Amino acid sequence: MANIKAVRGTRDLLPTETALWNHVEATARAVFARYGFGEIRTPVFEVTELFARGVGEDTDIVSKEMYTWDDRGRAESDRGQSLTLRPENTAGVVRAYIEHKMAESGMLEKLFYIGPQFRRERPQRGRYRQFWQIGAEVLGPPWSGSDSPLRDAEVLEMLATLLNELGIKGWRLALNSVGSAEDRKRYSAALREALQPVKTKLSEDNQRRADTNPLRVLDSKDPGDQAIINNLPKISEFWGEDSRAHFEQVKAALDACGVPYVEDHRLVRGLDYYTRTTFEFTVSDGSGLGTQNALLGGGRYDGLSEMLGGPKAPGIGFAIGEDRLILTLQAQAKEAEQKKLDAFVAPMGVPQNPAALKLAQELRAAGFEIEVGDGSFRLKKSFEAADKLARKMIIVGEDEVASGQFTVKDFAKGEQAKIPREELAGALKS
Ligand code: AMP
């Protein structure tokens, strides 16, 4: 009988990995606490309608990716109810906000969550069917200050702090404003018009979007579409005075806090309730995720609560892909470990010290990163130091100095060879 395996796109996290997951989650909890966030845990499944309304019927998530079933409830009232494994957590948090009448306090709510989400996606590195998100929402009635640009900057500064505390290197924050609902309406109309004459040159998916949801054309990764997209009008040309002022204030606060960002006018979201600030953090490193796979994304919204039957409660939220965060940390740790000096020059006795230093001088002048040992070290100590610090070890003994042939040990390959002085540079490059 064939063995039963984990379903495609899901995986086990074993103790060798969970230590890092727990470290990431503990760091996130500690950082969020410093910014006044409290934890919320919502159910892993909800009624399907919540996502249809809250995420949007015409998104890929709702139209193709949800795990949905008709419940076989015992009670008549449950039977046939359509339920769905949550594909994201914002809708659940806002439902809970409404259900528990959190608006009545009149205060700003700062809620974070950590948990699995489910989407029927084509699995690949960094893309799974069960994946984890660490996210947060800041929302409340307008008089609680929930629509202030200060909140946007605070959330972004908190994320920069979290990534820095985790030791993520080389992150990049892309920032944009999608304006108000009215700004976007005018922008969509302008995009639709600009796309008409060039529509037939677009990829098939984008031809359809050009009519149904022209903003989503900007998301296209299709190389053939890029030249057309780069010539389209920009959302910033359609910002009203309020949207412009909001964006300027977000940027001023980020500048004051020293959080670096780049403006990316193509960063938009197709849903109607997204307003103003949108953002994405990416990392360019050897994690193999590719630049299309953001580490985290988020944005400001207004109208989501009303869409779910609640009071007006503007807010801003984000979701970090925890799987991708972990992959990035692992890749960067490996990279750091692998970054060793080119060679360790080891004199075999004190009389060889000058010759060793001279050889190091030549190799450093040629651009290599070199450490020199000391002739008073015992051979074992030289080997240990060399193995720790460098990819190769060059032995400088009496014979080597006399013959001009140096013994070079390659630690990764476990090989040793005699190499003439003039060929050492070539050997260190390999
Ligand atoms: P989204 O809810 O689509 O805005 O995604 C927020 C973040 O969750 C993304 O930036 C990714 O890091 C992560 N994410 C989304 N979908 C997946 C998936 N299928 N597998 C792993 N991470 C994902």
Side-chain angles (χ1 to χ4, degrees):
M1 216 198 303
N3 289 339
I4 295 174
K5 297 206 168 118
V7 175
R8 222 161 81 83
T10 73
R11 68 212 199 285
D12 303 306
L13 300 172
L14 304 180
T16 44
E17 272 201 277
T18 45
L20 182 56
W21 284 74
N22 285 324
H23 165 68
V24 164
E25 291 169 15
T27 308
R29 285 172 194 281
V31 171
F32 294 161
R34 300 208 303 262
Y35 289 75
F37 282 77
E39 183 176 2
I40 182 165
R41 301 190 192 195
T42 66
V44 162
F45 59 89
E46 302 260 6
V47 297
T48 305
E49 198 192 340
L50 174 69
F51 305 113
R53 278 207 251 161
V55 182
E57 302 262 20
D58 63 347
T59 57
D60 284 352
I61 294 182
V62 174
S63 63
K64 306 191 243 193
E65 295 171 358
M66 294 203 306
Y67 287 97
T68 297
W69 69 97
D70 285 333
D71 200 33
R72 290 182 295 180
R74 278 168 182 264
E76 193 67 45
S77 57
D78 291 351
R79 212 162 293 159
Q81 192 176 30
S82 180
L83 302 177
T84 291
L85 287 177
R86 63 183 184 198
E88 56 91 63
N89 221 150
T90 302
V93 170
V94 177
R95 179 204 43 73
Y97 175 86
I98 299 165
E99 188 165 335
H100 301 285
K101 302 188 169 50
M102 293 189 201
E104 285 178 6
S105 73
M107 303 286 285
L108 197 65
E109 289 294 336
K110 290 177 144 180
L111 304 165
F112 81 87
Y113 58 85
I114 299 177
Q117 318 293 336
F118 306 85
R119 295 181 197 173
R120 191 186 283 105
E121 296 206 76
R122 200 165 50 80
Q124 61 188 68
R125 188 174 165 78
R127 190 173 294 277
Y128 309 100
R129 290 177 167 175
Q130 174 172 343
F131 60 99
W132 273 259
Q133 284 184 337
I134 301 177
E137 309 295 336
V138 181
L139 76 172
W143 53 90
S144 68
S146 56
D147 51 10
S148 164
L150 177 108
R151 292 298 153 213
D152 305 15
E154 183 186 39
V155 161
L156 290 167
E157 189 270 315
M158 176 173 81
L159 285 167
T161 297
L162 175 59
L163 296 184
N164 289 342
E165 286 192 16
L166 285 171
I168 294 275
K169 307 230 166 35
W171 54 260
R172 176 181 183 271
L173 163 58
L175 195 62
N176 194 22
S177 169
V178 293
S180 66
E182 296 83 69
D183 302 343
R184 229 178 20 256
K185 215 174 277 166
R186 288 186 294 123
Y187 181 50
S188 284
L191 272 184
R192 205 169 273 140
E193 203 178 303
L195 283 166
Q196 281 316 311
V198 289
K199 210 169 75 177
T200 52
K201 298 198 194 97
L202 289 172
S203 58
E204 209 179 302
D205 273 350
N206 274 336
Q207 292 196 17
R208 192 169 34 79
R209 290 183 192 135
D211 293 319
T212 56
N213 195 346
L215 260 105
R216 285 201 51 208
V217 174
L218 302 186
D219 266 347
S220 168
K221 305 285 195 269
D222 192 305
D225 293 345
Q226 303 308 312
I228 295 175
I229 293 171
N230 287 333
N231 283 323
L232 292 172
K234 299 189 173 86
I235 179 83
S236 55
E237 296 157 20
F238 295 81
W239 288 340
E241 208 28 64
D242 288 355
S243 300
R244 187 175 301 278
H246 187 101
F247 197 49
E248 289 305 323
Q249 287 184 53
V250 174
K251 289 193 292 178
L254 289 177
D255 291 341
C257 295
V259 176
Y261 55 84
V262 285
E263 288 180 52
D264 178 354
H265 66 86
R266 279 178 58 174
L267 197 64
V268 293
R269 281 158 195 272
L271 294 180
D272 282 347
Y273 57 73
Y274 280 107
T275 58
R276 298 187 172 157
T277 315
T278 43
F279 57 88
E280 208 170 75
F281 282 76
T282 50
V283 180
S284 51
D285 72 339
S287 65
L289 288 176
T291 47
Q292 294 189 16
N293 289 330
L295 203 55
L296 74 98
R300 170 162 282 290
Y301 47 83
D302 193 358
L304 176 55
S305 172
E306 294 96 309
M307 189 112 71
L308 300 176
K312 185 170 173 63
I316 179 162
F318 63 83
I320 306 172
E322 190 177 0
D323 308 71
R324 294 184 191 176
L325 191 61
I326 301 273
L327 277 174
T328 305
L329 282 172
Q330 287 168 336
Q332 291 189 345
K334 207 161 154 195
E335 227 168 46
E337 199 180 293
Q338 281 167 351
K339 182 143 177 37
K340 287 188 167 181
L341 298 172
D342 294 307
F344 183 95
V345 175
M348 290 295 99
V350 174
Q352 282 82 47
N353 271 353
L357 197 63
K358 170 117 192 358
L359 180 62
Q361 180 190 33
E362 282 172 24
L363 294 171
R364 285 166 174 159
F368 293 104
E369 294 175 358
I370 305 291
E371 180 58 292
V372 206
D374 190 284
S376 66
F377 287 2
R378 279 179 298 129
L379 191 61
K380 186 162 174 273
K381 183 170 169 185
S382 287
F383 262 100
E384 281 170 2
D387 192 15
K388 207 173 195 170
L389 296 173
R391 293 183 293 113
K392 295 193 168 90
M393 171 163 155
I394 304 175
I395 294 169
V396 182
E398 214 175 327
D399 290 352
E400 277 87 356
V401 177
S403 67
Q405 299 260 339
F406 292 89
T407 305
V408 177
K409 184 170 171 62
D410 184 322
F411 291 110
K413 293 189 189 137
E415 288 170 1
Q416 195 163 304
K418 281 223 182 255
I419 296 175
R421 189 180 195 109
E422 57 281 6
E423 290 173 23
L424 275 177
L428 290 188
K429 279 192 191 126
S430 69

